Amino acid sequence: MSDKKNIFERIAEGQIWKSIFRGGGAPKSRRQRMMVVLNSVFLHLHPVRLPKHAVKLKFTWCMGGLSFFIFLILTISGILLMFYYRPTIEYAYTDIMDLTEQVPFGIMREIHRWGAHAMVIAVWLHMFRVFMTGSYKPPREFNWSVGVILLVLTLLLSFTGYLLPWDQLAIWAIAVGSNMAGATPFLGAEGPGSSLLAIGDINFITKASDARFGLIGGRFLGEATLLRFYVLHCIGLPFIIMIFMAVHFWRIRKDGGISTPV
Amino acid sequence: MPEDKKKTSTISPKTPPPAALNKVEKENEVNRRTFFSWLSLGWVAFVAATGGFFTMMLRFFFPNVLFEPVQTFRAGYPDDYTVGEVDLRWKEKYGVWMVRNDEGIYVLSTVCTHLGCTPNWQPSAKKFKCPCHGSGFRMTGIHFEGPAPRPLERFKISLADDGQIIVDKTQKYQQEKGQWNDPESFLKV
Amino acid sequence: MDAFKSLINYVSNPTILFTAVLVGFPFVFPPTNWFYKVHKKLGIDKLWTKKGLIIMVAITVAFFIFGLGDDNFKKIVLKPDNVPISGLIILLIFFTWLSLSQAYKNDKLIDEGKPVDEYYEAPNDKVLVWPDLVYVELISLILFSAFMLIWSIGLPAPLEEPANPSESPNPAKAPWYFLGLQEMLVYFDPWYAGVVLPTFIIIGLMAIPYIDTDPNGSGYYSYKNRMLSLSIYLFGWLVLWNVLIVIGTFLRGPNWGFFGPFEYWDSHRLEALTNVNLSEIIYIKWLNMGLPSNILLREAPGLLIMFLTFAVTPPLLARTALKSFYERLGSTRYTIFVVLMIFGVLLPVKMYLRWFFNLKYIISMPEFFFNF
């Protein structure tokens, strides 16, 4: 009996398995366990060994990891939503209705929306934890600043997504938000100093050329706004946030991993 | 420059024969100078090209033609409007209130000057009240409470040949700039 | 019961609620040694024990359960978009407790000359990522996924009427995480509250590690040895951000008026409020003359106040109250720190000026869209 191998052992020793997972067999010895982390592109985000408080939930709250995980949930559910959603005034609202009513397992939108709320909260709590443990202190100053940018990008992603259902909640939140852009000093038509940027009677910063216009693609909220926010939400901002996330994760390792008492 | 000279002579990998030294060094120096001027020219060109590229990208977001609703419309006859009342009939379609008082008619924009919400006309209190941040405007459009920084805007109003009112929303009149005295901001009836 | 409700309604009035928070804050999160002593003497540090947590959570949950018996309260709290904020309140209490209970424990260990809880002896105390960390991560992900699924099935995402550009909903609210800013928009002009202030918040947050150069307390929870920076951060984060979000979500009703948690949201309730600018107070009310036609002369009082606040206060403080600060931080860091602090202090100051004097703007130049 004992020399007869069971199915799992046979798979684990086969060529296919071994070609995918280097190191051979289940990670039982200390060396094998270290190799698992070193050999995996995903796991080697982590170092091989950690201070013991780094695996304690009461120290880390797991909020950084959770933020990243929610980002992945949002990416996947967002891609699924894109299959049904058309960013035009005519269809946007009804497509959202269909998502709940006509599509099997119609909770994808719920997952996406509540996930967005959860991500904002997780990112906040992560920042809170990092502050409370003084982890922004040298040598991690720069990574804290990158983290603040990630927080801003998270809020912007959530904000651009807010418009897409094209309901009353959406357009009035964005109306208020985009009008703030119109009040940008110098660059907004209704901001202080904009009237100074003029030659004689010709104003360079008008309703058709200011920061608000660039954001919403017109003088009023409309088709162009929806398209701009859609592109920013689905492609533009995720692209930027992924770059900053890469820097953030890389710098955690380069700055010496999780912060520890000196 | 003396430092440069020193560098040239020490860094130069092939030491030329002593007789030719003087001549070569002179040539080298000229080469270095031209090199540096080409270098700075190169940098200027690079910065200009990058700047130009980003300007292009920025300009990309400001199209030349806008597909937006018509801004001029006919608003019926002056007698359609009751004296002392705010008329809401064009609010939905064109975003304006028509107000008639003892002297005439003026057209108020329904865009709150604070952040662009649409205030509600409250007949009992005789004021426009903005639901977003609580700004209040009197019937004239003058702001008196809440965060709105300036009065509501008025639009150009005139009479067509057939006696109908024409409202032109491309022309606006702001009280704080003294434009409400403009005869076109007001239709005497 | 009704008496209790009306008491709560009365107390949640921003003038009372915000003042109570403002006064109570330094005793709960003491910024200096003096406050710390009082804080200990009053026994407020017992909040960060297990008993304290149970009491805090019990009171909050009991309040919500009690409130759900009231129709008005129920309507606001159970609005789908508001549910995460009720959750946020509980989470904030829990995580503030979690960090501070560990911080106080470490403070005690430091006082006794022992190493802090997080101290480890490299490399003996290190653990392997596989399986120790991977296992924790996997469990968290599974639990969170299950939680997300339940949340998504149980609570439909909100979808209101189709967009109608001519009809603002009453009240019209920004996404909840921006309600702190929207609250500020009541007291400040959009260029400031909507553009400049957020920019300063972002810059200020990014500048924290470059201003707070004290190397103490890196990598472990602690309170006593970095009291001031923790107190300032907690004030900004808990009071100026999260309390304002809670106010904006639960207490702001139709026409952006204040409503107690058990109050009916009456859209016809009218508040007669006439706000006046500083120039009007000075020239018309005090000097009994008309407003000067020259803009600069008209706004001279406001401009003077702003000049005093930003150009005179920092050097004055550097010589007096914040002298040790100035010497420790150096002039650049000190200037950035004090200017950011002034911007922070201006928020509550302007709120009180509005509540008590109906003051609209300190500087009002609508001709140039410049109001402050």
Side-chain angles (χ1 to χ4, degrees), chain C residues 238-253:
Chain C
L238 285 178
V239 178
L240 290 185
W241 196 246
N242 285 306
V243 168
L244 286 185
I245 284 178
V246 171
I247 288 181
T249 313
F250 296 128
L251 305 180
R252 284 293 192 178

Side-chain angles (χ1 to χ4, degrees), chain C residues 166-238:
Chain C
S166 62
E167 197 75 48
S168 297
N170 194 2
K173 290 190 180 182
W176 61 269
Y177 37 82
F178 286 141
L179 283 179
L181 285 178
Q182 193 171 7
E183 192 61 33
M184 285 296 120
L185 280 167
V186 178
Y187 307 100
F188 292 96
D189 224 31
W191 71 267
Y192 180 72
V195 183
V196 176
L197 189 65
T199 313
F200 276 134
I201 294 175
I202 295 166
I203 293 177
L205 279 173
M206 285 169 75
I208 286 176
Y210 302 97
I211 293 173
D212 175 18
T213 48
D214 175 14
N216 275 328
S218 170
Y220 57 94
Y221 292 98
S222 62
Y223 194 87
K224 221 166 138 190
N225 54 1
R226 43 195 289 254
M227 236 184 277
L228 184 66
S229 62
L230 278 172
S231 185
I232 292 174
Y233 178 82
L234 285 169
F235 184 76
W237 151 250
L238 285 178

Side-chain angles (χ1 to χ4, degrees), chain A residues 114 117 121, chain C residues 76-89 151 155 249-250:
Chain A
W114 300 136
H117 285 1
I121 294 177
Chain C
I76 306 167
V77 170
L78 291 187
K79 221 172 138 215
D81 258 349
N82 291 352
V83 172
I85 298 151
S86 309
L88 180 71
I89 296 176
W151 186 4
L155 192 69
T249 313
F250 296 128

